[in-house]
Amino acid sequence: MGDTSVKKVESRHSPKGEMGQKYLASGIRLSMRLWEDEPPGEAPPATARDYETVGFVLKGRAELHIEGQVILLNPGDSWLVPRGSSHTYKVLETFSAVEATSPPAAVHGRDEGKDAQGKPAKA
């Protein structure tokens, strides 16, 4: 018999991370988070994370700056940030997106100020 645990998460009750993300459903190997109504502004410093990310734009526009490339993200676009890739986002229009991370970003402090090696990220 497979794993029978089932989770439902109502985003209005989800905890928020220090970067503004809402943590949604999470399993052992995968988690989801929501970026909701992120305001336009300058891109923060690039960072590399200890997880892989795939995302889907719900509304707004942003630039993904990754490993020397700039990728424009529009509603309906999806993207991938490989584990350990140096990247940052510049929000151009109020932006909402859902992302999945593997392994889960919220576990072991991966999401909050850590780089791909688990060391404090440069601010």
Side-chain angles (χ1 to χ4, degrees), residues 101-113:
T101 62
S102 178
V107 177
H108 303 302
R110 286 185 186 104
D111 214 14
E112 305 295 347

Side-chain angles (χ1 to χ4, degrees), residues 6-85:
V6 176
K7 291 183 183 180
K8 175 187 171 184
V9 176
E10 293 184 30
S11 67
R12 64 185 171 164
H13 299 299
S14 294
K16 271 194 155 182
E18 61 186 49
M19 296 181 295
Q21 72 279 30
K22 280 187 180 180
Y23 293 109
L24 303 176
S26 183
I28 296 168
R29 293 181 193 91
L30 181 71
S31 66
M32 289 178 62
R33 60 188 178 182
L34 174 66
W35 300 90
E36 194 169 39
D37 297 325
E38 292 292 311
E42 290 304 312
T47 188
R49 300 292 188 182
D50 189 24
Y51 50 80
E52 181 175 60
T53 302
V54 292
F56 181 80
V57 181
L58 300 169
K59 70 176 185 179
R61 293 184 322 121
E63 293 175 346
L64 168 59
H65 297 241
I66 181 168
E67 298 293 341
Q69 301 177 64
V70 178
I71 299 166
L72 184 61
L73 301 174
N74 292 299
D77 290 348
S78 59
W79 73 92
L80 165 71
V81 175
R83 177 184 181 270
S85 295

